[in-house]
Amino acid sequence: MEVIILPNQQKAAYLVAQILAKELKAHPRLVLGMATGRTMEPVYRLLVDMHQKEGLDFSLCSTFNLDEYIGIPADHPCSYRHYMNELLFDRVNIAKANTHLPDGMASDLGAECLRYEAAITQAGGIDLQLVGIGSDGHIGFNEPLSSLRSRTREKALTPATREQNAPMFGGDPANVPRRAITMGVGTILDSRRCLMLVTGKSKATILAKAVEGPISAMVTASALQLHPRCQVVVDEEAASELKEIEYHRWVFANEPEWAEFQNLV
C-alpha cells in the first residue's frame, strides 16, 4: 500500500482523475469500479472536463459501482444510479448498457447479489477500483465486523452510516434506507488495482487506523493492506494523524511512477 499526500482536496482529486484518465487512455476497454459520495464529486467533475475539453473517451469502457440502496428506484434523486448519471454517465460518451449498479428494487435480492458477482466475472474482473472510506472505516457498505472475504450481498446500515449519508436525504437519518446491496470486501480485493481517495480532517483518525493499524473486520478498509496494488491518495488534513507521514512523502518523491506528478506537491 502506498500513501500519497497532497496539499489539499483539489490536488488529491486531480491526481485520482489523472490516474483514471491515464489508465483509460492506455486500456480503452477498462473495467472501472466506481464509488459515490461527496469525496468523489470533484473527481467526476474533472473527468467530465477532460472528456469535453480533451476528448477523453469512455465509449469502450464498462463500470461497476460498489453499492446501491435497497428500496429506492433507480430514478430516485438519492439513488446511486441517479448520482452516477448526473455526475458522470450522462456527461460523457459511455454506453449506459456498460454501466452497472446493483438493483436495490429486485424482487429476489439474494439472486441479484449473485447476478452482480457473475456480471463482474463475465466482464473479466475489475481493473481499477475507486473507493472512499466511511467515518467508521467501511469501504462500500461493508460495515464494521463484515467478513474480509465477503462477496456482494445485502447489508444493514449502521446508525453512524445513516447519519453520515443524511445530507443527501434532507438531513434526516430516518429518511436514509436501512439496507443496501454492496460489493463484499473480498470482491473489492479481487480488483487488479485499487485507488482510495480520502480528504478532510474528519477522516484523519480512521485513515490512520486503516493504513497503519492492524487488519481488522472492525475497520474494513484495513483489508486494503492486503491488496497487491493499492494507492491511497489523501490531503494534508486527512494525513495529519499518520505516524509514518515522512516516509510516505519520501516514497512519493522517489518512486519513478509518480515523477510526472511532483508539481502537485
Side-chain angles (χ1 to χ4, degrees), residues 205-264:
T205 299
I206 198 63
L207 173 71
K209 290 180 180 179
V211 304
E212 295 183 342
I215 297 171
S216 168
M218 282 299 295
V219 180
T220 55
S222 67
L224 295 176
Q225 295 178 36
L226 299 171
H227 197 285
R229 194 182 181 197
C230 179
Q231 282 114 14
V232 183
V233 181
V234 305
D235 63 4
E236 287 285 354
E237 289 187 344
S240 60
E241 295 188 25
L242 294 173
K243 294 179 181 178
E244 298 296 326
I245 192 165
E246 293 308 320
Y247 173 71
H248 299 312
R249 294 190 203 281
W250 188 91
V251 171
F252 180 62
N254 288 277
E255 284 287 349
E257 179 180 3
W258 306 117
E260 64 185 295
F261 300 111
Q262 293 306 311
N263 62 315
L264 296 178

Side-chain angles (χ1 to χ4, degrees), residues 68 85 139-140 169 206 211 213:
E68 180 59 284
N85 286 348
I139 48 175
F169 290 83
I206 198 63
V211 304

Side-chain angles (χ1 to χ4, degrees), residues 141-172:
F141 275 133
N142 293 286
E143 302 284 32
L145 297 180
S146 291
S147 167
L148 301 187
R149 298 181 66 181
S150 56
R151 314 305 298 187
T152 300
R153 69 210 187 286
E154 297 179 60
K155 196 68 182 169
L157 305 184
T158 66
T161 294
R162 295 175 73 217
E163 179 75 32
Q164 184 179 346
N165 291 2
M168 295 181 67
F169 290 83
D172 186 355

Side-chain angles (χ1 to χ4, degrees), residues 4-171:
I4 300 162
I5 303 165
L6 295 175
N8 53 52
Q9 179 191 30
Q10 291 75 23
K11 290 188 175 183
Y14 177 82
L15 177 59
V16 169
Q18 288 295 320
I19 292 170
L20 289 168
K22 185 176 181 179
E23 290 285 343
L24 188 56
K25 291 173 184 176
H27 308 285
R29 296 188 182 275
L30 196 71
V31 179
L32 284 167
M34 311 304 283
T36 54
R38 284 168 290 181
T39 304
M40 302 301 159
E41 291 177 10
V43 175
Y44 295 146
R45 285 195 294 268
L46 287 163
L47 290 173
V48 169
D49 193 58
M50 282 187 272
H51 168 69
Q52 294 176 345
K53 295 180 179 178
E54 303 168 22
L56 181 63
D57 184 14
F58 291 81
S59 64
L60 298 178
C61 78
S62 57
T63 68
F64 288 87
N65 264 72
L66 284 167
D67 41 34
E68 180 59 284
Y69 292 112
I70 291 173
I72 60 175
D75 60 358
H76 189 286
C78 295
S79 76
Y80 286 151
R81 164 58 76 177
H82 185 271
Y83 171 104
M84 293 302 304
N85 286 348
E86 285 283 302
L87 269 70
L88 185 65
F89 298 155
D90 286 346
R91 299 172 182 269
V92 298
N93 64 330
I94 192 167
K96 283 290 184 63
N98 292 338
T99 65
H100 307 277
L101 286 89
D103 181 3
M105 296 296 289
S107 58
D108 186 334
L109 293 170
E112 172 60 13
C113 295
L114 292 174
R115 183 203 66 79
Y116 201 66
E117 279 280 333
I120 293 172
T121 300
Q122 187 174 7
I126 293 172
D127 296 310
L128 175 56
Q129 178 67 60
L130 181 62
V131 298
I133 187 171
S135 58
D136 58 6
H138 67 248
I139 48 175
F141 275 133
N142 293 286
E143 302 284 32
L145 297 180
S146 291
S147 167
L148 301 187
R149 298 181 66 181
S150 56
R151 314 305 298 187
T152 300
R153 69 210 187 286
E154 297 179 60
K155 196 68 182 169
L157 305 184
T158 66
T161 294
R162 295 175 73 217
E163 179 75 32
Q164 184 179 346
N165 291 2
M168 295 181 67
F169 290 83

